[in-house]
Amino acid sequence: MISDEKYMQIAIDLARKYSNISFPNPPVACLIVEYTGNYKNDVIVGFGYTSEGGRPHAENKAISNVEFKIKE
């Protein structure tokens, strides 16, 4: 599976897992991936999902949770 497809599937699974929380808003999940240039060492450095009532949004939570892993 290509890296993009893998991360999209993780985001979809995360959105499904928390779909009951965001109702009546749609379930949304966001991943932030640190890209290394070769796909082998990519790392999820932040993620989030839409909270109860639709706020905060998944993207805001993902950005707030970013923690870089890869060291050069």
Side-chain angles (χ1 to χ4, degrees), residues 5-28:
E5 293 172 354
K6 175 177 82 172
Y7 293 121
M8 279 302 295
Q9 189 60 57
I10 292 170
I12 290 167
D13 293 343
L14 188 62
R16 284 187 181 140
K17 180 177 180 177
Y18 293 105
S19 63
N20 61 331
I21 292 174
S22 63
F23 184 82
N25 297 67
V28 176

